[in-house]
Amino acid sequence: MQGFKELTSLMSSCLGFNGDRLIPLSFLPAICEVNKTGEAMQAYRLICRFPDVNRYSLLYVCHMWYELSRYSSINKMTIDNICTCVCPSLVYVKE
């Protein structure tokens, strides 16, 4: 788990998400709409509109999470479990 903490710290401090997290808050309403429809192409088009640093970083960590899920019989990290762990950190919302 230490490596994951280092990776997220590096991403948030060095890549400069301009006050946002990995998923820019301004995209949240559109993400909710895509989630309702479940259409993959609509999700892809939305991600293509992200700022470059956010888009490429998100695609990289999604690939990492996919690889992690491939070993879910050993590590118990199914897609649902990964989402439960990381989704709260993807969008920055001021309290």
Side-chain angles (χ1 to χ4, degrees):
M1 193 62 152
Q2 186 64 27
F4 181 75
K5 290 179 184 178
E6 291 170 351
L7 175 64
T8 55
S9 176
L10 174 69
M11 288 172 58
S12 63
S13 64
C14 296
L15 296 179
F17 291 125
N18 298 324
D20 275 330
R21 295 277 173 105
L22 193 55
I23 297 176
L25 183 60
S26 59
F27 285 86
L28 194 55
I31 290 168
C32 291
E33 283 302 312
V34 168
N35 189 46
K36 288 178 189 176
T37 65
E39 293 182 26
M41 280 308 295
Q42 188 178 3
Y44 176 76
R45 285 191 297 273
L46 178 62
I47 291 171
C48 286
R49 293 180 15 220
F50 282 23
D52 287 347
V53 68
N54 297 72
R55 180 176 61 248
Y56 294 132
S57 299
L58 181 62
L59 292 173
Y60 177 81
V61 296
C62 284
H63 178 73
M64 182 182 71
W65 295 327
Y66 166 75
E67 290 295 325
L68 179 66
S69 73
R70 290 181 55 210
Y71 300 96
S72 63
S73 63
I74 299 166
N75 63 25
K76 308 299 184 219
M77 292 304 289
T78 62
I79 295 294
D80 288 339
N81 287 343
I82 293 169
C83 289
T84 299
C85 293
V86 302
C87 284
S89 300
L90 295 178
V91 178
Y92 175 74
V93 179
K94 292 182 182 179
E95 295 180 25

